[in-house]
Amino acid sequence: MRVCAAADMPPGTAKRFDVDGARIAVVRIGDDFYAIGDRCSHADVSLAEGDVLADSRELECWKHGSAFSLETGEPSCLPAIKKVPVYRVEVRDGDVHVEEER
Ligand code: FES
């Protein structure tokens, strides 16, 4: 499903989208796009409001600092211990599409 134009997301940013009832955080690092579940697995906090960690390819929850891998959805530090879903992302004709959960 198309979520936005690639040009609408500057590198180093994250944005929340609602796709078929699922809350998804889309992240851009350079020209790479990622999509993970937007809801922190520790509490109901939007991960898209956190910091994009470009070097480690993670999204950091602003509330207590757990950082989630954009590739696997696994948190690399406490307090979160459960992974968040990871979605397939494709850029086609300048638009970002989020596909099913991997
Ligand atoms: S709410 Fe995200 S780490 Fe606590």
Side-chain angles (χ1 to χ4, degrees), residues 14-31:
K15 215 168 174 177
R16 170 186 161 174
F17 296 95
D18 292 297
V19 179
D20 287 340
R23 269 170 50 183
I24 295 179
V26 175
V27 178
R28 178 172 184 174
I29 296 174
D31 282 332

Side-chain angles (χ1 to χ4, degrees), residues 40-45 47 61-68 77-80:
C40 180
S41 64
H42 180 236
D44 187 5
V45 168
L47 293 178
C61 180
W62 58 266
K63 189 122 192 205
H64 308 112
S66 283
F68 292 85
C77 50
L78 294 171

